[in-house]
Amino acid sequence: MTDGLDLGTLDLMLDALGDFVTAALPEERLLELDRDDLCPEDTVRQMCGDDLGVQLAFVPEEYGGMGGGAFDSYRICERLARLDLGLATSVFATFLGSDPILFGGTAEQKERWLGRIAKEGILFAYGATEPEAGSDLGALRTTATPVPGGYRINGRKQWISNGSIADAWSVLALAPGGPSWFVVERGAEGFSTAPPEDKHGIRLSNTAALYLDDVYVPAENLVGLVEGKGLTQAQNVFGYTRLMVAAFGLGGGWEATERAIRYSLDRVQAGAALATKQGYTHKLIVPHVVRLEAARAFIEETATRIDAGEGSLNTEGAIAKYLASEAGNAAAEAAIQAHGGYGYTKPYLVEKIKRDVRITTIYEGTSEILEMTIARDRWQQHLKTRAAHYRDAAATVAALPARTGAATAALALDGLAAVLEGCRAGRLTRNQHVLLRLGELIGYGEAAASLARRAAAALDGTLPEKAERRFGPAALAAISRVFAREAAMKIAEEGTRWVLGALPEHAATDSAATDPGAADPTADYGAAELDGLRAGEVRQVQRGLLADMDLIADVLYGRADPQDPS
């Protein structure tokens, strides 16, 4: 269990980050670096040195750091992403690269490498992905062959953040005992990097391939000093690292949305500011704020649980990243539309933010990998509990205060149970696409529950001390109600679509043609379970949706008090 930074220290770090980056990289400079595809390595090193010391928040106290927890890291990563996502990626790459050591290294290795990060500000990189393996770490081809005193590593790594500017690289390679992590230091003979990739976005980050040609690594650089622990060590950090990328999606999406809000206050169309037009706010602003805050609720809840010592929470990390990255990407896309033609030009920056935030749906696990991860885990929970998993969760959520939309969130969870039962009866998870769509629906259902819990905590004054507090209890409850309606409707409609969509199109007709009196055993497999979706109730709870969206818009545009919009 970790308490992390105290609130005062966290706030100072967030303020210092904003002041430092704004001074070092004003918007004109950001646009120049983006145009020229340059990583501001000097700024990255200053941020991880005596000038700022952001790296200290990520390193445990016993190795010279400040011992920040997952909650602190989420808040810092969100702030970094709002400043520039490419820069955020460069800073975060060091902590991603050192995570195998933090979670799997010996005491001496932690003291050596984490100590150097804290005291010297050295940069690390995480060398896992390969050209032909992508997200499949089990398919790696890089090898580590034992030789006297150490290993010879041969292979290629692709898409490595900080690839050509790092001082050390954690490299995953196949040793005789299985996949293992090794620390490769700058200057190692046979080690080289490719020129930086010419990327669509995050052009302020350095991304380069690694070439390892008979690179000698001493035995003491084998992380943990035991072969074959590499995949386990990687799995141990997915919950945390994906949570941080979720914070990137959240920060990028919110920065784009804030710019759209500011633009609409000044832009006049047909005699009135865009901010006054419901067609603008209720399409391009409010829905994205709602989805971003649903993702935030899940991020904060997961970070709190990780800090409480509940384990790596890999599935929860996957849900958080999936929700936040998809919401952030959609929000940035809407921000371009919200600016009209100006949004398509570089000086307004939303075009750049959209290119930057797009990567969050790809790195640290694509959205499709995450959908599969989510669906497989929760499918097993559904089977093990004989369909009780989400029904029990629904009953718990339904007990929360009504004004949080808890009853609607409970409908969403009950709907998940019904859809999963339909898939079980029809054996539909044999269809990969159905399994992925279940991952999406599960994310929405669990986020609705999480947001209802966050709104309830705001109402009774029990939000975590370091929680983000832009919205007061009443506004947050309205946001929760809007998202719960969306989640319940999405699960009911799309769950029905995929369960019924898996039925053979002409099954009933063909059966009746051959034997009109025979019951077709395949005509309704999985369909009967959909009665549990309570579709009529889902439609009824949509009442009041526009009024809640009006309230949220009023809060966002300063027409109502964000702490008490009523």
Side-chain angles (χ1 to χ4, degrees):
M1 181 173 180
T2 177
D3 294 327
L5 309 179
D6 62 71
L7 179 60
T9 301
L10 176 61
D11 285 343
L12 284 172
M13 175 64 76
L14 296 176
D15 290 342
L17 269 174
D19 293 343
F20 182 90
V21 175
T22 300
L25 300 174
E27 288 190 2
E28 296 79 5
R29 180 60 176 154
L30 290 177
L31 288 169
E32 289 175 3
L33 292 167
D34 178 75
R35 180 197 65 209
D36 297 337
D37 196 14
L38 290 175
C39 170
E41 181 181 349
D42 56 343
T43 302
V44 175
R45 291 191 179 276
Q46 288 166 1
M47 292 175 69
C48 297
D50 293 338
D51 294 278
L52 184 62
V54 66
Q55 85 281 11
L56 298 176
F58 296 88
V59 178
E61 291 183 85
E62 57 265 40
Y63 306 114
M66 299 168 66
F71 209 105
D72 303 308
S73 297
Y74 130 67
R75 293 296 308 276
I76 292 169
C77 284
E78 182 189 2
R79 178 61 59 89
L80 281 168
R82 293 196 61 156
L83 296 166
D84 184 84
L85 218 156
L87 186 68
T89 298
S90 293
V91 172
F92 182 65
T94 285
F95 310 105
L96 178 61
S98 63
D99 274 341
I101 300 167
L102 176 62
F103 290 93
T106 65
E108 291 78 8
Q109 289 172 336
K110 293 176 184 179
E111 180 66 40
R112 177 184 178 188
W113 297 110
L114 300 180
R116 288 191 64 193
I117 291 172
K119 296 164 189 171
E120 301 174 31
I122 66 169
L123 304 182
F124 251 83
Y126 184 83
T129 304
E130 298 190 355
E132 297 180 12
S135 297
D136 185 5
L137 296 185
L140 80 161
R141 297 185 179 181
T142 300
T143 60
T145 304
V147 296
Y151 295 83
R152 292 284 182 184
I153 300 180
N154 287 277
R156 300 287 184 270
K157 297 295 179 180
Q158 189 76 27
W159 318 124
I160 308 305
S161 297
N162 286 359
S164 59
I165 67 171
D167 301 298
W169 295 257
S170 293
V171 173
L172 187 65
L174 188 61
S180 309
W181 288 100
F182 298 86
V183 178
V184 177
E185 299 181 66
R186 176 173 289 280
E189 185 177 352
F191 177 76
S192 61
T193 64
E197 302 285 355
D198 185 4
K199 304 187 298 296
H200 175 63
I202 58 167
R203 291 165 68 85
L204 272 70
S205 72
N206 173 275
T207 308
L210 311 181
Y211 302 145
L212 299 109
D213 298 306
D214 220 24
V215 175
Y216 175 75
V217 175
E220 61 264 27
N221 284 23
L222 166 63
V223 175
L225 301 183
V226 178
E227 295 179 3
K229 303 292 186 180
L231 296 186
T232 300
Q233 290 161 350
Q235 287 289 336
N236 283 340
V237 303
F238 275 156
Y240 173 83
T241 57
R242 286 173 173 168
L243 200 67
M244 299 311 108
V245 177
F248 285 173
L250 183 66
W254 253 116
E255 181 62 23
T257 301
E258 293 274 24
R259 289 174 179 271
I261 290 171
R262 293 197 297 269
Y263 175 81
S264 65
L265 285 165
D266 296 329
R267 180 67 170 172
V268 174
Q269 288 283 0
L274 288 173
T276 67
K277 298 179 184 295
Q278 194 186 66
Y280 179 97
T281 60
H282 287 34
K283 178 184 179 183
L284 300 175
I285 305 296
V286 172
H288 299 288
V289 166
V290 168
R291 291 172 198 141
L292 287 167
E293 288 306 299
R296 183 190 303 282
F298 204 90
I299 290 170
E300 291 199 348
E301 192 169 70
T302 303
T304 298
R305 293 175 61 192
I306 289 175
D307 286 342
E310 290 192 33
S312 58
L313 300 182
N314 286 347
T315 302
E316 285 77 6
I319 292 173
K321 180 185 178 299
Y322 178 73
L323 292 167
S325 62
E326 291 290 332
N329 189 51
E333 176 73 21
I336 291 178
Q337 192 74 11
H339 281 76
Y342 291 109
Y344 207 61
T345 63
K346 294 185 183 298
Y348 281 75
L349 252 72
V350 289
E351 178 271 345
K352 175 184 178 300
I353 294 170
K354 174 61 176 71
R355 285 187 288 106
D356 287 349
V357 80
R358 183 66 178 83
I359 191 61
T360 65
T361 68
I362 298 174
Y363 66 6
E364 273 302 282
T366 66
S367 289
E368 292 70 32
I369 289 290
L370 300 182
E371 287 173 343
M372 183 67 74
T373 298
I374 295 162
R376 282 176 171 169
D377 181 80
R378 297 312 197 232
W379 177 245
Q380 290 302 314
Q381 291 294 318
H382 179 81
L383 296 179
K384 289 177 183 177
T385 61
R386 298 181 181 273
H389 179 70
Y390 283 117
R391 290 172 183 162
D392 290 347
T396 301
V397 171
L400 296 172
R403 64 186 296 202
T404 66
T408 306
L411 271 178
L413 294 174
D414 272 332
L416 279 179
V419 171
L420 290 169
E421 269 299 276
C423 290
R424 182 197 60 78
R427 300 180 180 180
L428 304 186
T429 56
R430 296 176 178 179
N431 296 280
Q432 188 184 59
H433 185 61
V434 170
L435 196 61
L436 266 61
R437 300 282 50 79
L438 288 178
E440 179 187 21
L441 299 183
I442 288 165
Y444 267 74
E446 294 202 19
S450 183
L451 185 52
R453 288 189 289 269
R454 189 172 196 268
L459 287 169
D460 64 21
T462 59
L463 277 175
E465 182 185 39
K466 291 182 283 191
E468 198 277 341
R469 283 178 164 78
R470 172 171 182 156
F471 298 104
L476 193 56
I479 290 171
S480 180
R481 292 193 296 269
V482 171
F483 188 81
R485 292 185 183 102
E486 180 179 4
M489 183 64 78
K490 186 178 186 71
I491 290 166
E493 290 188 342
E494 296 188 19
T496 298
R497 181 187 186 198
W498 295 115
V499 171
L500 296 183
L503 291 170
E505 185 176 2
H506 303 296
T509 303
D510 293 346
S511 177
T514 56
D515 183 0
D520 178 10
T522 68
D524 294 315
Y525 72 91
E529 285 73 15
L530 294 180
D531 291 341
L533 282 169
R534 299 157 64 186
E537 293 178 64
V538 171
R539 289 191 292 270
Q540 286 300 313
V541 297
Q542 303 305 315
R543 294 172 181 265
L545 173 60
L546 276 176
D548 279 339
M549 294 180 75
D550 288 341
L551 184 152
I552 296 166
D554 286 343
V555 168
L556 289 168
Y557 283 97
R559 301 188 290 258
D561 184 347
Q563 300 305 313
D564 186 14
S566 59

